Amino acid sequence: MTKPTIARIWRGRTPRAKADEYEAYNYEAGIKPLIEKALGVQTFREDRETESEFVTISYWENIEAMSTFAGTDPTKIHHLERDSEFLIELPKEVQILRLLTSHGATGSESERFGLVLRSRADA
């Protein structure tokens, strides 16, 4: 089973009043297509007093695999059609990190999809 070596992290903030609607829209328009390409995807939401922050982490075999989804520059943001309607500001970049180690399960379906990430020494 292919193991991820790269994590791509996207962050965006919405007004709290639009958070539920954005969550549903983001899942349909952004997360579903990402699930088809990445080795794994996690989404997070933090509700604050006046805004909600969304974080999406996708896991990739390598930069080349990520580029098949994100284009030749995987740090470039590809905004969803309605992002400007929801987001407080349009993110200018994503963060790309090398995955060094991971311990334990990363989600409820992680075993089923082979996403229990281990250090290279454990592989």
Side-chain angles (χ1 to χ4, degrees):
M1 177 132 327
T2 303
K3 294 187 180 187
T5 65
I6 301 290
R8 184 176 193 264
I9 303 169
W10 173 91
R11 292 175 175 84
R13 296 176 299 121
T14 65
R16 180 81 187 268
K18 293 183 176 184
D20 290 341
E21 186 179 1
Y22 183 71
E23 181 178 347
Y25 168 71
N26 184 49
Y27 180 76
E28 289 298 320
I31 302 304
K32 276 187 174 180
L34 184 57
I35 289 170
E36 295 174 12
K37 303 286 185 183
L39 293 175
V41 179
Q42 294 177 313
T43 55
F44 302 86
R45 175 177 164 176
E46 179 186 7
D47 291 324
R48 301 176 187 140
E49 188 173 329
T50 61
E51 67 183 32
S52 294
E53 181 177 19
F54 292 86
V55 177
T56 300
I57 303 175
S58 55
Y59 297 94
W60 302 88
E61 180 180 1
N62 52 43
I63 293 289
E64 293 78 22
M66 186 183 351
S67 295
T68 64
F69 175 76
T72 55
D73 182 359
T75 63
K76 185 178 178 188
I77 295 282
H78 300 276
H79 298 290
L80 302 177
E81 186 177 323
R82 294 178 57 201
D83 274 355
S84 61
E85 176 185 331
F86 290 104
L87 297 176
I88 293 169
E89 61 187 9
L90 293 175
K92 293 178 177 45
E93 62 184 18
V94 294
Q95 185 177 20
I96 297 176
L97 301 173
R98 272 187 316 124
L99 179 60
L100 301 178
T101 62
S102 183
H103 306 278
T106 59
S108 61
E109 296 183 307
S110 60
E111 283 290 339
R112 190 173 118 204
F113 292 106
L115 293 177
V116 175
L117 310 175
R118 305 186 193 296
S119 70
R120 291 181 187 219
D122 293 347

